[in-house]
């Protein structure tokens, strides 16, 4: 995971996604979820694709898949055990999980490189323990997703909690041409 994250970060530093074409977003989400199914199952993350079957956008499929994989991987690492639902929104997609949410103090930092809100030194009384030894948390996934969005002139926003003090919602919106 560290190697893949670093490789992605390197390529993003020099990236130009020039493969824009009309894409079926439901199929892109399905491909993303399937590519991470083993990791999600292992973590206890149930995933549901509620994207409208007719939802299409003119996007770079490579850029979209990179951003989505990092958002979903983040849910497997930080929200699970939980359910992640991906659904259509005007000009984009919404990723909502039922996990413990993100502390308000951490929200402004979630897109920063090497930031991980679930550190071994986290405060006592949180809803769940720090990750087990050997669990990789580089703090690069959401930074990579955000960088892709900047390159593409997309917007990636986060809200947490979303319901009754639980859950996190990432909303990915595309440019005017989407």
């Amino acid at each position: 995971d560290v190697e893949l994250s670093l490789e992605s970060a390197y390529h993003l530093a020099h990236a130009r996604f020039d493969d824009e074409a009309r894409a079926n977003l439901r199929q892109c989400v399905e491909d993303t979820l399937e590519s991470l199914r083993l990791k999600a199952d292992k973590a206890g993350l149930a995933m549901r694709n509620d994207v409208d079957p007719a939802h299409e956008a003119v996007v770079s499929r490579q850029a979209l898949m990179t951003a989505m994989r990092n958002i979903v991987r983040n849910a497997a690492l930080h929200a699970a055990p939980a359910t992640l639902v991906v659904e259509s929104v005007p000009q984009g997609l919404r990723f909502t999980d039922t996990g413990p949410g993100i502390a308000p103090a951490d929200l402004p930092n979630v897109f920063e490189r090497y930031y991980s809100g679930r550190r071994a030194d986290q405060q006592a009384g949180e809803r769940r323990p720090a990750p087990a030894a050997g669990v990789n948390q580089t703090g690069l996934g959401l930074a990579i997703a955000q960088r892709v969005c900047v390159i593409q002139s997309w917007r990636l926003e986060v809200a947490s909690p979303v319901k009754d003090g639980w859950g996190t919602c990432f909303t990915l919106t595309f440019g005017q041409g989407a």
Side-chain angles (χ1 to χ4, degrees):
D1 280 347
V2 171
E3 185 178 323
L4 287 173
S5 292
L6 290 173
E7 187 176 311
S8 292
Y10 173 80
H11 288 296
L12 284 174
H14 304 91
R16 289 193 55 186
F17 297 103
D18 294 327
D19 64 332
E20 283 195 355
R22 183 154 295 282
N24 180 284
L25 297 182
R26 181 177 177 84
Q27 187 59 54
C28 290
V29 168
E30 194 58 41
D31 292 347
T32 298
L33 299 183
E34 190 56 39
S35 74
L36 294 167
R37 181 100 33 222
L38 184 60
K39 181 180 281 296
D41 288 349
K42 203 173 194 183
L45 181 70
M47 301 182 295
R48 197 170 79 219
N49 182 354
D50 285 352
V51 174
D52 181 340
H55 193 171
E56 293 186 343
V58 176
V59 295
S60 162
R61 191 174 198 287
Q62 179 185 2
L64 178 60
M65 298 296 286
T66 299
M68 289 193 305
R69 281 188 193 111
N70 281 287
I71 294 167
V72 174
R73 189 178 296 119
N74 186 73
L77 283 171
H78 298 286
T83 299
L84 174 70
V85 177
V86 186
E87 55 197 337
S88 297
V89 295
Q91 294 190 335
L93 298 166
R94 181 173 43 224
F95 301 76
T96 307
D97 69 60
T98 59
I102 300 171
D106 290 333
L107 276 175
N109 304 309
V110 296
F111 297 119
E112 291 179 19
R113 286 180 292 178
Y114 310 116
Y115 185 83
S116 178
R118 290 181 56 206
R119 302 177 306 269
D121 64 345
Q122 66 191 134
Q123 296 176 338
E126 285 202 14
R127 294 184 188 170
R128 51 193 213 160
V135 173
N136 173 28
Q137 294 195 47
T138 61
L140 290 174
L142 293 178
I144 290 169
Q146 181 72 311
R147 178 74 176 140
V148 167
C149 291
V150 168
I151 290 169
Q152 295 301 119
S153 298
W154 299 343
R155 193 170 55 244
L156 181 60
E157 299 173 3
V158 61
S160 187
V162 292
K163 184 177 180 186
D164 300 325
W166 291 84
T168 301
C169 177
F170 287 91
T171 303
L172 171 62
T173 51
F174 310 119
Q176 296 297 331

